[in-house]
């Protein structure tokens, strides 16, 4: 479309990708709120960031993938944090990142109501899946500097020296950072709204097109359940794992993962800033709680992320499973309390500091995973289906990290007609659908 024509943009999905795209669009030098219209349509009754974008760990890493997108995204994270006081607003900070190997100790079950849980039994989560975050590290020379002694950093006092077999840093200082994903996403939305973006509730049901060009979307208005339409010159599909429901053939599936957040007792604060990829040898009594075994010993590999804030917080997540994606959307995601309990049991078994804490959140969400041999995410105009239809989905385990690069690329595509910040041709939708 000609640069001078009026743009009417609808973003489907109020997760981190939709909200960050809205931020970059509204902050683009050519965006004029008096001329253009930008709507973010979100299906959840509870607002933005109710899916993976509010329940992720929040790691931001130079060693994430795919590299061209990471290179833009990491620098943009730094810039956004400087420009909008991300340290205060969304918990931006650099963190140490390490691989921790060690043993679990036998821990008595907590007293019900004392920060513990009464949930018994094993999670029925089917096949375990790795979230595959560390793939990007395979080629990192730094990884070869692994220490043989425990190597536990002095300030990492929330993990036990006597239970540690080995600790090794996974990336050089300055290469790993974090955000609080819910706070980041809702901040991006608020900053976009300040510049004229509109957030509305409703479930998109169809993408409308005529003569090979997008004309709008149809959606269900939540209070009346009536179908409404929104006209659009550009539709940005940022619906995470649900994206294929609106664009059949898009090779994206959902992998469910559970996580918990723990508040340590105040007298044990502060919690040193580390993200840990653990490998825990569990006591034999934990049986098949972990389906991974090595030399007959069950192992678990939860990830732990310390977060800043006056109350301190540690986020811990377990593996993915293959529970089917609920067609009704994020508000219908089922939390298997036993899967959360399993993560909490693993935390308690390796950290006496955290064992004394309280579990605040027990949650589950769906990672949008690109299927097949091509590595996602999928970013670009799906012109084979309709001009003006732009896909921004399939961010797998790195959507928090890669949201700013994605948002910037989408803004360039809509406002300037092409992606200029990086060579993302290998991510264009035509190669996937
Ligand atoms: C356990 C776990 C830990 C993770 N940790 C990290 C991490 O440390 N670092 C990192 O970079 N990434 C991490 N990720 C990955 C990251 O969370 C995702 O890649 C990212 O959140 C995807 O964002 P999204 O906006 O595409 O999808 P979502 O967050 O799922 O948002 C999609 C939105 O679209 C809405 N929607 C869907 N269909 C419709 C419709 N028809 N109409 C209107 N709205 C609709 C949904 O309600 C939802 O709000 C993690 C993921 C998991 C599961």
């Amino acid at each position: 479309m000609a640069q001078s024509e009026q743009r009417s943009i609808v973003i489907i999905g109020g997760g981190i990708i939709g909200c960050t795209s809205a931020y970059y669009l509204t902050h683009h030098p050519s965006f004029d709120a008096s001329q253009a219209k930008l709507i973010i349509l979100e299906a959840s009754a509870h607002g933005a960031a109710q899916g993976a974008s509010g329940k992720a760990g929040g790691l931001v890493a130079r060693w994430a993938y795919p590299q061209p997108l990471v290179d833009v995204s990491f620098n943009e994270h730094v810039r956004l944090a400087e420009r909008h006081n991300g340290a205060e607003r969304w918990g931006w900070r650099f963190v140490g990142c390490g691989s921790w190997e060690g043993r679990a100790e036998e821990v008595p079950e907590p007293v019900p109501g004392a920060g513990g849980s009464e949930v018994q039994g094993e999670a029925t989560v089917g096949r375990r899946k790795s979230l595959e975050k560390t793939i990007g590290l395979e080629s990192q020379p730094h990884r070869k500097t692994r220490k043989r002694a425990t190597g536990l950093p002095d300030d990492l006092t929330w993990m036990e020296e006597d239970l540690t077999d080995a600790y090794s840093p996974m990336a050089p200082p300055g290469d790993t950072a974090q955000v609080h994903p819910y706070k980041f996403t809702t901040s991006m939305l608020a900053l976009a709204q300040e510049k004229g973006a509109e957030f509305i509730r409703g479930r998109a049901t169809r993408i409308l097109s005529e003569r090979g060009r997008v004309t709008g979307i149809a959606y269900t208005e939540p209070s009346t359940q009536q179908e409404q339409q929104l006209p659009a010159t550009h539709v940005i599909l940022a619906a995470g794992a649900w994206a294929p429901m609106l664009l059949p053939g898009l090779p994206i599936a959902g992998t469910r993962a559970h996580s918990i957040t723990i508040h340590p007792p105040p007298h044990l604060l502060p919690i040193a800033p580390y993200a840990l990829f653990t490998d825990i040898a569990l006591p034999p009594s934990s049986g098949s709680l972990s389906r991974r075994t090595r030399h007959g010993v069950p192992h678990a590999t939860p990830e732990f992320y310390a977060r800043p804030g006056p109350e301190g917080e540690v986020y811990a997540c377990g593996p993915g499973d293959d529970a089917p994606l609920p067609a009704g959307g994020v508000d219908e995601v089922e939390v298997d309390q036993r899967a959360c309990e399993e993560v909490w049991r693993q935390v308690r078994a390796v950290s006496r500091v955290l064992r004394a804490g309280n579990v605040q959140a027990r949650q589950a969400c769906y990672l949008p995973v690109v299927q097949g041999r091509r590595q996602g995410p999928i970013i670009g105009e799906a012109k084979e289906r309709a001009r003006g239809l732009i896909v921004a989905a399939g961010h797998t385990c790195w959507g928090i990290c890669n949201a700013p690069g994605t948002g910037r690329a989408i803004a360039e595509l809509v406002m300037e007609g092409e992606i200029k910040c990086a060579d993302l041709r290998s991510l264009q939708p035509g190669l996937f659908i």
Side-chain angles (χ1 to χ4, degrees):
M1 89 182 260
Q3 297 292 305
S4 55
E5 281 177 55
Q6 196 172 333
R7 288 178 182 79
S8 181
I9 306 160
V10 174
I11 298 178
I12 303 174
I16 196 164
I17 301 303
C19 293
T20 309
S21 297
Y23 170 89
Y24 279 93
L25 279 159
T26 51
H27 287 71
H28 190 280
S30 317
F31 185 86
D32 175 356
S34 66
Q35 299 288 319
K37 193 164 174 60
L38 191 156
I39 291 174
I40 303 148
L41 180 72
E42 168 52 50
S44 171
H46 308 292
Q50 296 302 313
S53 302
K55 300 184 170 88
L59 210 58
V60 172
R62 282 197 198 279
W63 44 269
Y65 54 87
Q67 205 58 55
L69 184 59
V70 173
D71 289 345
V72 182
S73 295
F74 197 93
N75 292 338
E76 287 295 318
H77 264 295
V78 173
R79 204 180 60 80
L80 287 171
E82 282 169 4
R83 184 167 176 191
H84 300 291
N85 191 13
E88 287 281 317
R89 202 163 174 174
W90 55 76
W92 164 263
R93 65 177 179 180
F94 287 91
V95 291
C97 180
S99 120
W100 182 94
E101 285 173 36
R103 286 147 287 116
E105 62 182 352
E106 296 272 8
V107 183
E109 289 299 314
V111 179
S117 153
E118 296 153 61
V119 182
Q120 298 293 324
E122 254 181 64
T124 51
V125 288
R127 197 161 61 86
R128 304 289 165 113
K129 297 176 183 173
S130 159
L131 301 187
E132 298 188 333
K133 270 214 191 84
T134 52
I135 287 177
L137 283 167
E138 300 306 329
S139 58
Q140 297 274 328
H142 193 79
R143 191 150 168 74
K144 297 197 181 84
T145 64
R146 180 191 173 85
K147 294 181 183 148
R148 269 295 127 210
T150 77
L152 197 68
D154 288 344
D155 61 342
L156 182 41
T157 49
W158 51 275
M159 294 297 278
E160 309 307 329
E161 174 97 58
D162 60 313
L163 298 175
T164 304
D165 290 332
Y167 174 91
S168 50
M170 290 169 73
D175 276 11
T176 313
Q178 72 178 167
V179 298
H180 188 298
Y182 178 81
K183 292 180 184 169
F184 180 85
T185 304
T186 50
S187 297
M188 288 294 108
L189 174 61
L191 290 164
Q193 285 175 304
E194 280 170 20
K195 294 271 188 180
E198 203 184 325
F199 184 84
I200 65 173
R201 266 193 63 205
R203 172 176 305 285
T205 49
R206 283 177 300 137
I207 294 166
L208 311 173
S209 62
E210 265 173 35
R211 291 191 291 278
R213 176 135 207 122
V214 144
T215 55
I217 61 133
Y219 75 103
T220 313
E221 203 280 324
S223 56
T224 60
Q225 292 301 311
Q226 298 285 313
E227 187 177 275
Q228 308 276 344
Q229 293 195 356
L230 287 171
T233 56
H234 296 83
V235 171
I236 295 157
L237 181 57
W242 287 271
M245 290 185 182
L246 290 158
L247 187 57
L250 208 56
I252 296 174
T255 292
R256 187 178 66 165
H258 287 83
S259 56
I260 61 173
T261 61
I262 306 137
H263 284 186
H267 68 280
L268 294 174
L269 293 173
I271 293 285
Y274 282 90
L276 302 182
F277 289 81
T278 72
D279 188 337
I280 306 171
L282 300 167
S285 60
S286 57
S288 61
L289 277 177
S290 163
R291 312 281 155 89
R292 290 185 60 198
T293 58
R294 199 160 342 116
H295 308 301
V297 179
H299 277 250
T301 54
E303 298 168 18
F304 301 161
Y305 304 138
R307 286 175 171 168
E311 293 187 308
E313 183 170 278
V314 174
Y315 169 96
C317 67
D321 65 46
D322 46 20
L325 186 74
V330 280
D331 294 346
E332 291 183 6
V333 171
E334 260 185 53
V335 180
D336 183 339
Q337 293 297 335
R338 291 164 300 183
C340 294
E341 177 57 19
E342 193 173 323
V343 176
W344 178 217
R345 203 173 289 155
Q346 290 158 6
V347 172
R348 291 200 310 270
V350 292
S351 171
R352 293 170 198 133
V353 168
L354 298 179
R355 192 183 302 163
N358 281 302
V359 177
Q360 298 295 307
R362 297 164 191 269
Q363 56 199 11
C365 60
Y366 280 82
L367 200 70
V369 179
V370 173
Q371 308 275 277
R373 289 154 60 107
R374 296 198 79 88
Q375 192 182 63
I378 305 174
I379 298 172
E381 187 179 26
K383 44 182 176 287
E384 301 76 8
R385 299 288 177 95
R387 301 295 312 203
L389 170 57
I390 292 165
V391 179
H395 286 71
T396 315
C397 65
W398 283 119
I400 308 302
C401 179
N402 286 330
T406 303
R408 188 171 156 187
I410 296 299
E412 290 173 351
L413 189 53
V414 173
M415 304 307 294
E416 301 172 46
E418 60 178 315
I419 296 173
K420 295 179 175 167
C421 59
D423 181 357
L424 303 185
R425 280 175 296 179
S426 66
L427 309 180
Q428 60 197 3
L431 299 172
F432 293 84
I433 48 180

